[in-house]
Amino acid sequence: MTLPLFGIADSCEGFAREPSRIVVRLKSPDTEPCDDSDFSLVKSTVDLIRSIEGKHHSIFVVGDSLDTPVSPSLFNRVISLPAKFDYLDTGDILGIHIPTKKFRTLFRRSSRHNSFLVTERCNNYCLMCSQPPKDIDDNWILSEIKRSLPLIPKSTPTLTFTGGEPLSDWTDFIGVIADCRDLLPNTAIQVLTNGRAFANSTIVDAWKAIGHRSLIAAIPVYAAVDYLHDYVVQAKGAFDETILGILKLKDRGQRVEVRVVLHAHTAPIIAETSRWIARNLPFVDHVALMGMENTGFALANEKSLWIDPIDYRESLCEGVQTLAAIGMNVSVYNLPLCVLERSIWPYAVQSISDWKNGYVEECTKCIERSRCSGLFTSGRPRQSRGISAIR
Amino acid sequence: MARFANVEAFGSPSGELTLLPFNFERTGNAQFLVSNMVGDFIRLTEDEINNVIDLKLKPGDGLYERAYAAHLITGTQQKAQQQLLALRLRSRMSFLREMTPLHMFVVTLRCEHSCPYCQVSRQSTDRSRFDMSETTAQRALDIAFESKSSRIKIEFQGGEPLLNFGLIQKIVQAANTKSTTRGKQVDFVIATNLALLNTSILEYCKANGVLLSTSLDGPLDLHNKNRPRPGGNSYELATSGIRRAQEALGKDRVGALMTTTEASLDRVDEIIDEYLKLGLEGIFLRPLSPFGFAIKTKQYQRYDTKRWLRFFEQGLRRILDINHKGTPFREFYSALVLTRMLTDKPIGYVDLRSPAGIGIGALVYNYDGSVYASDEGRMLAETGDNAFRLGHVDTHDYRSLVLSDTLIEAISASLTQCAPECSDCVFESHCGANPVHHHATQGDMLGIKPLSDFCERQKGTMRLLLEILESSPKDAAILRQWAGI
Ligand code: SF4
Ligand code: SF4
C-alpha cells in the first residue's frame, strides 16, 4: 500500500497569525509534553480523557471516532485530521502551514526510510525524476527541517536528505548537516545529490569541514560518456561537474555512493557503465544499481524510458559482477528477485521505502518473498513480465 | 507539461572536442591497438583511428562513445576527463612514495655451489676476505633505516648467506631493535640454496618471522646441471629443504625462483611440474639473464628471445590448463603485468617501473661495504664495471647514495616516458626502464629499444596476455584473478 504522506487538515484551532508554519511532534497522551511542538495524539475518547489528565494543552486528533466534539476551552491548540492518516503514531513529526491547513509528514518513528525533502529546486531536470523540480522559493523547508531535528530521537539509525538538489542553498544546507552532527551524533546521514555543486572546491571544503562521522553523498552517474549522462539529466555540462565533484569529494576523504537508475537509456549499457566505474572510480564507497520508480517525470517519459527489467537481466548481472570483482561494495535496489540472475541475488537489497512498497498476487506463492524487495506501489506501477513465484 | 530536449541537444560538436594523449601500434591489416594515458587498451580499425585523430566523430556514431569512455577525447571546456587521468596516473606512480623499500645484504661471497652462471661467489674458506664484517653490517643497517619507506625488507644474499648465519642473526636483532625505536616495520628474507638448512636455522626463522627464498631450476638433471656442488645433490637438498621449510614455517613462508638457461627452454612443462609437486603457489618464468655466465660465454644472443617467448607461452598455457583442472597456480610475472594492465595499483616491481627501481627501489650492500644500485649492478662490478656502484658504507649515507650523480644520471637517462620508441609505445604504461640490463647488453643506460631483447620480451609477453584476455573468456577469468579483479 501507499501511505498518504501529505494532505489537508480538517481544522487547526487556536493558532496565532504568526508563525504560519509550525512543526508538530505527536506525543502519547500519557507522557508529558516537553517541547512547544508536542501535541498529544488522540485517536479515541479514551485518549482525549487521558490527554486532559496528562495536562496536555495541545492535541492532535486523527479520525472522527470521538463521541463528543472537543470543546475548544479545554485545549489551547487543536489540530484534526481525517481518518485516512490513521498511520500516524507517537514520535512522528509533521510540518503544517496553518493558513491553508496543508501538512506533510516529515518523520515517522517506525520507518526505516525517513527522508527529508530539502528543496524542489534543481539544476538537473532528469527524464525520470520522481520529484519534478520547481523553480520556486522554498527556503522555508530548510527552516522547517532545522526545527524538526531537535525533535527526532537520538536513536534514529539513518536519515536521508533529498530534493530537488539539496545543495541548491548550500550554505544553509551545510548548516543542517552540522546540526545533525550535533543533535544526532549516532545517525548516519545520506544526501541524495547530483554532485555538481562539489565541482566547486569551496563547497567540498565546507562539506568536509562539517566533520560528520557518518555522512555519504549519493551521486548518480548514468553513463561513461558525457552527452548520454547530460541527456538523462537534461543539463549540458552536468557529467563533467558531477565527475569532478566525485573526484574532489574522494580527494578530501569524503564518502561517496554512485547511483545508476536503470531505464531504457541506461540499462542496456549498464555493463559498460559498470566497467567504466570499476576502472575509473574504484575508490568510491558504494555503487547502487537501481530499478526505476514509475512516477513523476518517468510517467511523462514512459514511452522512451520503460524497459522491462527482464530485458536487461544479463547486462545487469555482468555489471554487478564486474564491480564485485574489483572488491566494490555493490547493491541492486528496487528490483524483485525473480527478474534478477540468481548469481546476483546476494547484492539485492530490500530498498523500497515501506510507504510505497507492495507485492502482487504471484508473490503469495513465492518462497523468497521475505527477502525480496517487492514492487513500487507509487505512481503508475508497471509489472515486469518476469514476475513469477520462486518455488 | 514539462519539456525535454532530445539527445542531439547534448553532444558537443567536433569543434569543441580535443584529443587526449594516447599511443598506438598497427597490429594487422588496418587494425590498431590503442592505449590511453594510463594504459587502458582499445582496438580500432584504421578508419576509426584516423577519424579519432581528425576528430571526425559525433555522438551516436559509436566511435565517439568508445573514444570518450576510453579517454581518447574530451570536450575543450571539460575538466573531468583530465582529472580522472591525472588521478589514475598518480595512483599508478605512487610506488614512488615508498623510497627504497628493499635492502639487500651480501653477508658473504662464499658458496659451496659452483654454478656456472654465477659471477660472484667464491669457493673459499677464507672468512675474513669474503664475509661481511659486523661494522659494515651495522653501517649498512643505519643507511637502510634512513630510507623514507614506512616498511622495509631486508634480504640476505650471497654467495650462500647461510655460511654467515651468525651475522644474519646479529643483523636481525639489531634491525628489530631499530624497528621499535624508529617505528619502521622490517621484514626479513634469506635467499639461500637451502643446502645448509638445519633444524636450528628453521627454528630461528620461525621465531623471527624470517622468510626463505630459494632456487629451483626444474627437474633433477636440469637443476643439478645448473647448480653443481660437491656431491652433485643440489636438487635433493633444495627440494627437501623446501618441504621442511614449508612444514616448519608454513607454505606461504618459502618461495622458489628459477634461473632460465638454454637447457630450460625446451622443458617448461617439466619445470612447472616440479613446482606443482612441491605445492608451491606458482612459478616465475624468468628470462635468461644477461649477467654472469651467459654474457661471459657469449650464449646470450638476441635470437634467444623468440625461443624464450615460446617457452613462456607454452608455460603460461600449461599453467592456465592446470587452473582449469582445479589447482590454483600462478605465473607470477604475468600476474604483475596483468595487475598493471587491469588496475591502477602501484606496482614497484623493478623491471616494470619507470623511473627505474635502481637505488630508489633497492640498495645492495656488498660484503666489502660497497653499495650498489641493484643486484645485477654488483655482478657487473665483479667483471670490473662499476657503473652502478654508488659508494661505500663508510663514506656515504642514504641521502648521498640516492642523490649520487651515478644514480640520478642512470635513472634520468632511462625514463621510458620520454625515451625514443618507448614514449610512443602502446605498452609504455605497463613497461619499465631497465638501465642495468641495457647498460650490460648495449653499453647504454637507455638502450636502443628496437635492438633490445628486453623490449622484445616485454612486447611479446604483453601482446600474448592481451590476446588471451580478449580471445578466451575462460582463460581471462583466471588471468583477472591473478590481477586481483
Ligand atoms: S514473485 Fe514476488 S516475492 Fe517472489 S521474487 Fe518475484 S516479486 Fe519477489
Ligand atoms: S621497452 Fe619496448 S615495450 Fe617497453 S615501453 Fe619501451 S618500446 Fe615499449
Side-chain angles (χ1 to χ4, degrees):
Chain A
M1 68 154 179
T2 309
L3 294 181
L5 291 184
F6 50 87
I8 299 179
D10 292 335
S11 66
C12 304
E13 312 283 343
F15 292 92
R17 283 187 92 95
E18 290 293 331
S20 62
R21 293 186 186 277
I22 64 153
V23 170
V24 166
R25 173 168 64 184
L26 306 181
K27 290 292 263 188
S28 151
D30 304 327
T31 56
E32 259 185 50
C34 46
D35 189 285
D36 191 45
S37 304
D38 287 340
F39 281 63
S40 173
L41 175 61
V42 174
K43 290 187 178 176
S44 65
T45 310
V46 180
D47 289 342
L48 187 67
I49 295 163
R50 279 153 61 206
S51 301
I52 298 168
E53 289 166 0
K55 300 198 176 56
H56 280 278
H57 300 294
S58 309
I59 60 165
F60 191 96
V61 185
V62 179
D64 42 16
S65 60
L66 301 186
D67 301 339
T68 47
V70 182
S71 152
S73 59
L74 284 174
F75 300 99
N76 293 347
R77 299 180 294 180
V78 179
I79 298 172
S80 34
L81 257 57
K84 67 172 172 173
F85 297 101
D86 198 40
Y87 69 84
L88 287 167
D89 205 348
T90 57
D92 291 357
I93 298 168
L94 299 92
I96 305 182
H97 183 236
I98 301 298
T100 58
K101 294 182 282 189
K102 279 191 188 162
F103 74 89
R104 297 183 304 141
T105 306
L106 301 175
F107 178 85
R108 284 183 307 120
R109 207 190 49 184
S110 64
S111 173
R112 290 183 291 125
H113 304 282
N114 276 297
S115 73
F116 282 97
L117 178 109
V118 175
T119 174
E120 293 188 76
R121 280 165 291 154
C122 188
N123 52 348
N124 279 357
Y125 204 75
C126 301
L127 294 174
M128 65 298 178
C129 184
S130 57
Q131 185 69 52
K134 293 197 191 106
D135 192 11
I136 46 168
D137 178 8
D138 56 8
N139 196 269
W140 60 268
I141 302 180
L142 273 162
S143 335
E144 193 175 81
I145 294 172
K146 280 205 151 221
R147 267 181 286 140
S148 311
L149 291 178
L151 307 175
I152 294 175
K154 291 207 189 312
S155 58
T156 306
T158 59
L159 274 186
T160 299
F161 291 96
T162 167
E165 169 50 45
L167 286 146
S168 298
D169 291 322
W170 67 271
T171 33
D172 291 343
F173 181 65
I174 279 185
V176 166
I177 302 294
D179 283 358
C180 290
R181 172 199 61 202
D182 299 336
L183 297 167
L184 299 164
N186 303 317
T187 305
I189 304 292
Q190 182 186 45
V191 178
L192 309 188
T193 159
N194 63 39
R196 294 173 61 185
F198 296 117
N200 176 345
S201 298
T202 315
I203 301 181
V204 209
D205 288 337
W207 177 271
K208 180 185 177 184
I210 305 168
H212 195 290
R213 277 192 300 156
S214 182
L215 172 65
I216 191 162
I219 301 176
V221 175
Y222 293 120
V225 183
D226 54 353
Y227 79 92
L228 290 174
H229 176 95
D230 289 358
Y231 167 58
V232 171
V233 308
Q234 293 282 301
K236 192 158 158 65
F239 178 78
D240 201 52
E241 287 181 1
T242 293
I243 299 299
L244 269 184
I246 293 172
L247 295 186
K248 289 192 180 186
L249 281 166
K250 287 313 298 176
D251 194 40
R252 288 158 178 81
Q254 303 303 296
R255 293 172 65 227
V256 173
E257 167 181 300
V258 164
R259 304 191 140 201
V260 190
V261 177
L262 299 165
H263 50 61
H265 301 305
T266 57
I269 54 168
I270 191 58
E272 284 90 339
T273 306
S274 300
R275 247 193 307 282
W276 186 87
I277 293 171
R279 202 71 179 88
N280 291 281
L281 304 173
F283 41 76
V284 299
D285 302 272
H286 183 212
V287 175
L289 309 179
M290 316 170 53
M292 184 180 70
E293 181 180 359
N294 213 28
T295 186
F297 281 163
L299 291 176
N301 293 311
E302 190 168 358
K303 258 214 182 99
S304 83
L305 290 181
W306 168 254
I307 176 172
D308 189 324
I310 202 78
D311 294 327
Y312 60 74
R313 179 185 178 114
E314 281 87 27
S315 39
L316 177 61
C317 175
E318 192 184 331
V320 169
Q321 280 166 345
T322 304
L323 289 161
I326 64 153
M328 177 67 75
N329 181 8
V330 50
S331 305
V332 176
Y333 286 171
N334 309 347
L335 288 170
L337 293 177
C338 51
V339 305
L340 300 178
E341 293 283 351
R342 209 172 257 264
S343 64
I344 62 167
W345 282 11
Y347 305 95
V349 176
Q350 291 185 303
S351 48
I352 302 178
S353 303
D354 51 358
W355 59 272
K356 52 182 178 184
N357 189 204
Y359 296 84
V360 291
E361 171 70 30
E362 182 75 9
C363 304
T364 55
K365 295 174 275 174
C366 179
I367 56 165
E368 294 294 339
R369 190 192 144 124
S370 64
R371 293 200 284 146
C372 173
S373 76
L375 308 157
F376 282 110
T377 53
S378 47
R380 193 160 66 223
R382 277 191 75 157
Q383 196 172 321
S384 166
R385 39 176 226 285
I387 301 288
S388 80
I390 292 150
R391 299 161 209 256
Chain B
M1 191 69 249
R3 294 171 143 261
F4 297 95
N6 49 24
V7 67
E8 287 74 32
F10 297 95
S12 301
S14 171
E16 285 172 26
L17 294 177
T18 181
L19 291 179
L20 291 165
F22 59 84
N23 293 340
F24 53 87
E25 83 170 17
R26 187 183 285 275
T27 52
N29 186 20
Q31 292 295 319
F32 283 81
L33 177 65
V34 181
S35 67
N36 67 14
M37 219 187 150
V38 287
D40 298 334
F41 292 107
I42 164 173
R43 295 209 187 260
L44 296 177
T45 66
E46 184 151 13
D47 287 343
E48 286 170 337
I49 196 169
N50 283 330
N51 286 337
V52 170
I53 291 166
D54 296 339
L55 292 172
K56 275 197 211 139
L57 17 72
K58 63 173 196 303
D61 66 7
L63 181 59
Y64 178 98
E65 288 74 13
R66 289 170 66 209
Y68 192 94
H71 306 287
L72 306 184
I73 55 167
T74 183
T76 44
Q77 302 302 312
Q78 297 176 346
K79 289 191 190 137
Q81 292 276 79
Q82 273 136 306
Q83 287 302 324
L84 267 174
L85 286 174
L87 176 99
R88 292 184 53 191
L89 192 60
R90 198 167 65 188
S91 166
R92 298 179 67 85
M93 300 297 282
S94 61
F95 58 84
L96 288 169
R97 293 209 179 109
E98 289 292 300
M99 284 294 273
T100 322
L102 177 62
H103 299 266
M104 299 190 224
F105 285 61
V106 182
V107 291
T108 178
L109 267 200
R110 293 180 297 123
C111 186
E112 25 62 71
H113 274 64
S114 48
C115 309
Y117 50 74
C118 178
Q119 196 66 45
V120 295
S121 37
R122 300 284 189 282
Q123 272 69 55
S124 165
T125 47
D126 187 350
R127 302 202 121 219
S128 61
R129 256 190 83 194
F130 296 117
D131 282 12
M132 182 181 266
S133 75
E134 240 183 282
T135 359
T136 299
Q138 192 52 55
R139 255 315 283 150
L141 207 53
D142 290 342
I143 294 172
F145 272 85
E146 284 167 30
S147 70
K148 292 282 169 278
S149 271
S150 53
R151 180 172 192 159
I152 58 172
K153 183 192 254 179
I154 292 181
E155 180 173 315
F156 299 105
Q157 279 278 0
E160 169 48 50
L162 292 184
L163 284 171
N164 198 1
F165 190 60
L167 185 67
I168 291 179
Q169 289 169 287
K170 284 185 185 133
I171 295 174
V172 168
Q173 197 193 4
N176 280 335
T177 314
K178 270 183 183 291
S179 162
T180 24
T181 53
R182 299 284 192 90
K184 207 191 270 294
Q185 247 183 295
V186 200
D187 304 312
F188 303 99
V189 57
I190 306 177
T192 163
N193 57 40
L194 296 180
L196 303 172
L197 191 71
N198 61 35
T199 320
S200 75
I201 292 176
L202 277 174
E203 273 166 13
Y204 180 84
C205 290
K206 191 176 170 74
N208 291 278
V210 178
L211 301 175
L212 294 176
S213 156
T214 191
S215 306
L216 182 66
D217 294 348
L220 184 140
D221 65 305
L222 181 61
H223 183 96
N224 282 347
K225 184 170 157 245
N226 279 354
R227 300 176 183 271
R229 82 184 292 277
N233 59 349
S234 177
Y235 172 87
E236 290 82 347
L237 291 171
T239 50
S240 75
I242 291 172
R243 287 210 174 84
R244 285 175 69 192
Q246 285 175 332
E247 222 162 88
L249 310 176
K251 282 227 167 213
D252 55 331
R253 312 292 291 172
V254 51
L257 272 180
M258 64 172 292
T259 297
T260 312
T261 58
E262 281 264 27
S264 320
L265 292 179
D266 298 322
R267 306 182 61 178
V268 71
D269 291 359
E270 294 166 77
I271 297 173
I272 292 167
D273 287 349
E274 279 302 319
Y275 277 68
L276 259 184
K277 223 163 57 187
L278 283 163
L280 293 159
E281 291 171 350
I283 189 169
F284 203 132
L285 294 176
R286 292 208 296 176
L288 291 169
S289 162
F291 305 97
F293 175 73
I295 270 195
K296 197 169 68 179
T297 56
K298 303 243 172 347
Q299 270 208 12
Y300 188 74
Q301 303 288 344
R302 183 156 186 266
Y303 70 82
D304 281 340
T305 306
K306 293 208 169 52
R307 278 186 71 198
W308 181 83
L309 281 169
R310 273 201 303 276
F311 161 86
F312 179 81
E313 172 163 6
Q314 195 189 337
L316 180 61
R317 295 208 185 267
R318 179 172 179 90
I319 290 169
L320 287 168
D321 229 40
I322 290 165
N323 281 277
H324 294 316
K325 291 197 179 113
T327 311
F329 189 78
R330 290 171 186 231
E331 198 287 300
F332 293 124
Y333 187 70
S334 304
L336 281 167
V337 176
L338 288 161
T339 308
R340 296 218 57 166
M341 293 197 331
L342 301 174
T343 80
D344 296 326
K345 286 181 203 148
I347 300 295
Y349 179 71
V350 63
D351 282 356
L352 291 177
R353 54 177 279 178
S354 173
I358 49 173
I360 56 174
L363 282 172
V364 182
Y365 310 94
N366 209 4
Y367 71 104
D368 61 0
S370 26
V371 185
Y372 295 94
S374 84
D375 203 30
E376 293 83 3
R378 135 176 104 112
M379 297 184 187
L380 287 177
E382 293 295 329
T383 63
D385 175 355
N386 275 323
F388 297 96
R389 187 181 185 277
L390 303 180
H392 193 278
V393 294
D394 290 341
T395 49
H396 287 73
D397 58 7
Y398 177 74
R399 219 184 134 74
S400 60
L401 290 167
V402 295
L403 293 180
S404 63
D405 289 349
T406 313
L407 188 64
I408 288 177
E409 271 162 28
I411 291 175
S412 47
S414 62
L415 293 168
T416 57
Q417 286 87 344
C418 45
E421 186 93 0
C422 297
S423 64
D424 53 11
C425 170
V426 75
F427 299 113
E428 193 276 330
S429 293
H430 315 306
C431 196
N434 202 334
V436 191
H437 181 98
H438 288 112
H439 172 79
T441 54
Q442 299 186 340
D444 180 90
M445 297 284 181
L446 174 59
I448 302 161
K449 297 297 158 57
L451 303 176
S452 155
D453 63 305
F454 168 79
C455 173
E456 192 183 357
R457 209 167 52 235
Q458 296 290 83
K459 287 184 171 161
T461 44
M462 286 196 246
R463 279 184 194 130
L464 173 66
L465 288 168
L466 256 186
E467 186 198 305
I468 298 178
L469 279 175
E470 290 170 345
S471 64
S472 160
K474 205 169 100 185
D475 291 338
I478 307 275
L479 295 185
R480 282 207 196 85
Q481 274 172 25
W482 294 356
I485 66 167

